[in-house]
Amino acid sequence: MSGEPNDKPRLFDAQAWIRARERAMRNGYLGGGDVFARLVAERIGERLEDVNRAFPSAVLAGTGAGILAGALPAAIGRRGQGLAMTDPSPAMLAAAAQRLPEAEALTWRGETLPFEPGRAALAVSFGLLHWLEDPVGHLVQLRLALAPDGLMIAVMAGGQSLAALRAALASAEAEVTGGLRPRVAPMGEIRDLGALLQRAGFQMPVSDSERLTMSHSDALALMRDLRAMGETNALAARSRSFTPRSVLMRAAALYAETQGTAEGRVVTEIELVFLTGWSPGPDQPTARRPGSASARLADALGTTERSAGEKATGGAGPPKKRS
């Protein structure tokens, strides 16, 4: 029951996030709001093409209304064969299924993924992790969906993404109204996000990031673009009332002070974090236990091995002082 001590407060309002994404899709991604999703999907496709392996089966968590599947390499199959996908938005899942009629479209069940365990060669999470209450659980479920030695790749916004906008909105609201409500979700740092892979049980985990810079006429144009992307405020603790125009105008002025350019525009940095890992498999390289080396480092370097505390003799001696 709600209110019991074991209940954890929720960080996100999942239904608000889904409504925002579906509104963006219904509006046709005004002003090219899907350009960012297409760019991210292309980056995933490029990374998969660099892997010298075919993926006869794959599962997708998050579809971008079919944008992701359209960017995947041909190794995944023709027209969605061997592909299972799910999406928090029923409308976006239906749009993806229309583009790939042979793919299996599975209903999203909260944060419980509907994929059959141990069958997929590839698992992809597309722009979901920064909106989920349990990102580790999400990664664990993707690993369980993989066959041995299967590849997982997840991409999300992280690091310093929208940090300047968050600061400008907070300062403006505190200055104008004397209060403060959260408006931009916190973003995970790449080190912390990379640690999630190990917690989820992936082998050979790798985390890296790519910084993208966007340019707008002002902060209000940036906010309109975020709305067109479906990436508006979906925090559970957000204010349900409209933001006063005075707050928005003051935030725009503060944003211009820190992010303005000589040309009179503002720049925004988005950090894309890519997480990749492999499900455990019998033929993967593994780290040796400490002390199990069969060759000495001293032999490899052509030096004499000495015990701890033993003084070195001979050699070039200390460096000479330059005159």
Side-chain angles (χ1 to χ4, degrees):
M1 295 177 60
S2 178
E4 290 183 355
N6 290 333
D7 286 349
K8 294 182 179 179
R10 301 191 70 81
L11 180 59
F12 302 111
D13 182 343
Q15 291 305 310
W17 172 50
I18 293 171
R19 288 194 300 269
R21 298 176 79 214
E22 293 185 341
R23 179 179 61 238
M25 187 179 69
R26 286 195 309 270
N27 290 338
Y29 298 105
L30 293 174
D34 60 343
V35 170
F36 187 75
R38 292 182 183 280
L39 177 62
V40 175
E42 289 174 5
R43 293 292 194 274
I44 294 175
E46 291 168 357
R47 286 164 180 258
L48 292 176
E49 287 177 347
D50 289 338
V51 179
N52 187 23
R53 180 177 298 194
F55 299 102
S57 57
V59 293
L60 309 181
T63 65
I67 290 174
L68 174 58
L72 294 178
I76 298 215
R78 299 178 57 190
R79 296 179 56 78
Q81 291 179 348
L83 180 66
M85 55 189 179
T86 189
D87 197 289
S89 163
M92 297 186 81
L93 180 61
Q98 189 173 8
R99 291 187 61 178
L100 293 166
E102 295 185 21
E104 186 179 9
L106 303 173
T107 302
W108 180 269
R109 302 194 301 254
E111 293 194 11
T112 302
L113 297 178
F115 302 131
E116 186 176 351
R119 297 293 300 275
L122 171 70
V124 180
S125 177
F126 182 50
L128 297 184
L129 275 175
H130 61 282
W131 285 115
L132 297 180
E133 299 285 339
D134 184 13
V136 176
H138 181 74
L139 293 174
V140 168
Q141 292 179 78
L142 291 175
R143 177 177 60 79
L144 293 177
L146 288 170
D149 201 29
L151 174 64
M152 190 283 304
I153 180 168
V155 60
M156 62 182 294
Q160 295 302 303
S161 299
L162 301 178
L165 180 62
R166 179 168 56 243
L169 285 168
S171 297
E173 187 169 27
E175 180 181 322
V176 175
T177 69
L180 184 62
R181 298 298 294 271
R183 297 183 179 277
V184 179
M187 302 289 178
E189 294 295 334
I190 187 169
R191 287 185 179 180
D192 299 328
L193 296 173
L196 300 183
L197 290 168
Q198 292 180 314
R199 290 178 58 190
F202 284 102
Q203 301 296 310
M204 297 177 286
V206 175
S207 58
D208 65 289
S209 66
E210 179 178 348
R211 296 179 185 271
L212 304 177
T213 301
M214 301 186 297
S215 174
H216 293 86
S217 57
D218 54 31
L220 299 180
L222 166 61
M223 295 179 207
R224 287 192 294 270
D225 259 10
L226 292 173
R227 182 179 179 86
M229 296 177 193
E231 293 287 334
T232 50
N233 187 1
L235 292 167
R238 73 191 186 283
S239 174
R240 265 44 173 195
S241 59
F242 288 107
T243 302
R245 181 172 177 79
S246 55
V247 171
L248 294 177
M249 297 306 295
R250 180 55 181 156
L254 292 172
Y255 196 77
E257 291 177 5
T258 60
Q259 304 301 118
T261 68
E263 293 76 22
R265 297 177 65 82
V266 296
V267 294
T268 303
E269 190 172 82
I270 302 294
E271 185 175 356
L272 294 179
V273 177
F274 293 85
L275 306 177
T276 57
W278 298 82
S279 62
D283 299 324
Q284 291 173 341
T286 57
R288 293 179 177 271
R289 61 179 178 82
S292 63
S294 58
R296 299 189 313 154
L297 178 61
D299 293 339
L301 297 177
T303 61
T304 302
E305 184 177 3
R306 301 182 185 280
S307 61
E310 184 179 352
K311 292 184 179 181
T313 59
K320 296 181 180 180
K321 294 183 179 180
R322 291 185 178 182
S323 57

